[in-house]
Amino acid sequence: MRYPAITLFLSGLLLAAGCSRAPDAVYHNGRIVTMAPGGPAEVEAISITGDRIEAGGSSERLLASAGPETRVVDLAGAFVTPGLIDAHFHFTSIGREVMQLDFRGTTSKEQVLAMVAEEAGGPGESWWLEGRGWDQNDWPVTSFPTASDLDRVTGDHPAAFRRIDGHALWVNSRALAEAGIDVSTPDPPGGRIVRDGAGRPTGVLVDEAMDLVGEVIPEPDIEAIKETARSAVGRCLAVGLTGGHDAGTLPRELEAIRQLVEEGDLHFRLASYLRWPLDGMSRPFGYETLDPFLEMGPVSGLGGGHLWVVGIKMSSDGAMGSRGAALLEDYTDDPGNRGLLRLTPGEMYTTVMRGAEHGFQTIVHAIGDRANRIVLDVFEEALARLPAGDRRFRIEHSQIVHPDDVGRFGELGVIPSMQPTHATSDMYWVADRLGEERLEGAYLWKSYLEQGLRIPGGSDAPVEELDPLLGFYAAVTRQDLQGWPEGGWFPDERVSREQALRMFTYDAAYGAFMEDEVGSLEPGKYADFVVFDRDLYEVPVREIPGARVLRTVLGGEEVYRVGG
Ligand SMILES: [Zn+2]
């Protein structure tokens, strides 16, 4: 116990004498955007000691601080940003996409079957084959495929493959049998079992009928979840993401991620929000109540800054595409339908209060104007009852907000956590759902920034593409990749490139109480940054989506480099 004290004493003496040791690394000759709230906005060079930034400044000054052991990297004028952070994604789902068969781009049923045959391997084994992305409209014969097609190539495996839109599942006979689906099984409400002339299921399940099979697919074990987490991280680092907020972690996933962090194997900074309620999806490692989670309390920077357990994620309504978003008035294209609320205000309020009493932040998905109003009401009530404090309650998506409610975000300090690509994906059809009038409060960015709010930027991957540059591009253009519509969709809500970058760096960090550690390049923070192949502030906007990450650095270590 005496040595640390002596070391501390000695290092104190050294500091007092002005002798500091040379940094471990200096990156110089770059255009390094810091996002530091107190400035400077840009520096030429940064130095790194351990996993932290030691200093930022001119190349000349920081090169002078280098010693013989210092690793010196010439950025050759490259554009550098703080490590990007996705403030709303679905972490293990991103990894699972890599591990499942991916049929996107296939042009015939035979091509799909050949891929399945290769994956299935020899006889005698029987894990579930899973995949996604088939689209019979791309095949020479556009009728639905069948279970017997699959039976020829799947051996002893049950198999379940989602259609490209996620609304149909193609299964084999083994999967139908395991789910107990036969000629006598009725179509569930909201779903359809595709049948032949004799009423026998043919092997395609539509919408709610997909759950009949989904329920019998075994949940992944801890080791499998670790594997998906590793592949999710690999995908993130390659697009410049060094951190992200998992919008709805299951308890078993949290356990797997925690193990991965303790094994030193999560090269990422993940902020986790527990999914609540759990909808019975948590069985083996699950909680019947919130109590075990609340008693655990928040986790901050476990394992050298790799895991934060920050709060609770709830969903107040559904999505716009399927008309599940809760609206104040009827859907324009579906009179009588106002969407649905998935939780009562009372249920949300109770969880917000219990979380806050245990130091947890709460974030709530709200798409429709009714859902947004109700969640604002819940947060307002909670803020009035709770002792004063820094709560940072968030509304995830904040998509359709009644004009009367827009100003309440700023008044209450409720954070709109938004995904710019949702606007550019929905802009083609959202007026059909809502009419033009209700778009006044829809997908606002500039309006919230003007209230002094921070907007944590996210992708909602795998719902949208993971690449944060697509969000950056959508935020500055409000156009699709072809440049439509000219001038941008509701162009007044476009933001500057600096504001867009802040959404995916500092504002995202702030959204999960992580801004003292990450989100900007400042002395004392983790040395997380991304080197790009072009200047994202200067190139024509059209060239932003094509930009490539050359290096991703996490805690001073190069965790991704183009070309290996
Ligand atoms: Zn989401």
Side-chain angles (χ1 to χ4, degrees), residues 119-311:
E119 181 75 7
E125 294 174 278
S126 71
W127 67 87
W128 277 80
L129 295 172
E130 293 180 73
R132 69 196 169 99
W134 58 274
D135 184 352
Q136 82 284 2
N137 291 323
D138 293 341
W139 300 345
V141 180
T142 57
S143 56
F144 269 142
T146 65
S148 51
D149 292 329
L150 284 178
D151 293 344
R152 290 191 275 121
V153 293
T154 47
D156 296 317
H157 305 278
F161 303 133
R162 269 177 300 136
R163 196 176 177 281
I164 188 133
D165 63 2
H167 286 275
L169 194 68
W170 176 20
V171 300
N172 66 359
S173 297
R174 176 86 190 264
L176 287 171
E178 294 211 2
I181 300 171
D182 59 26
V183 67
S184 64
T185 308
D187 287 355
R192 182 166 69 94
I193 300 169
V194 178
R195 300 167 197 269
D196 65 14
R200 288 182 300 247
T202 59
V204 172
L205 309 168
V206 179
D207 283 332
E208 297 296 319
M210 300 195 300
D211 287 351
L212 299 172
V213 164
E215 281 164 11
V216 300
I217 299 177
E219 290 179 54
D221 62 23
I222 288 284
E223 289 307 316
I225 298 171
K226 285 185 188 173
E227 196 56 42
T228 57
R230 280 191 214 98
S231 39
V233 168
R235 290 188 65 193
C236 288
L237 298 176
V239 293
L241 290 168
T242 55
H245 306 177
D246 190 22
T249 315
L250 297 175
R252 55 199 282 108
E253 294 174 337
L254 190 53
E255 173 59 26
I257 292 163
R258 181 193 286 274
Q259 286 183 20
L260 212 50
V261 169
E262 281 164 359
E263 291 157 10
D265 210 9
L266 191 84
H267 305 291
F268 196 66
R269 308 202 192 280
L270 188 75
S272 165
Y273 292 86
L274 180 81
R275 184 200 297 191
W276 190 258
L278 292 165
D279 306 327
M281 294 180 70
S282 58
R283 291 180 298 269
F285 299 90
Y287 312 143
E288 292 298 315
T289 72
L290 258 183
D291 295 346
F293 181 77
L294 295 176
E295 274 149 30
M296 178 185 79
V299 171
S300 182
L302 187 73
H306 294 102
L307 177 63
W308 280 254
V309 182
V310 190

Side-chain angles (χ1 to χ4, degrees), residues 3-15:
Y3 290 108
I6 288 169
T7 314
L8 206 63
F9 174 70
L10 283 176
S11 59
L13 271 186
L14 287 170
L15 278 176

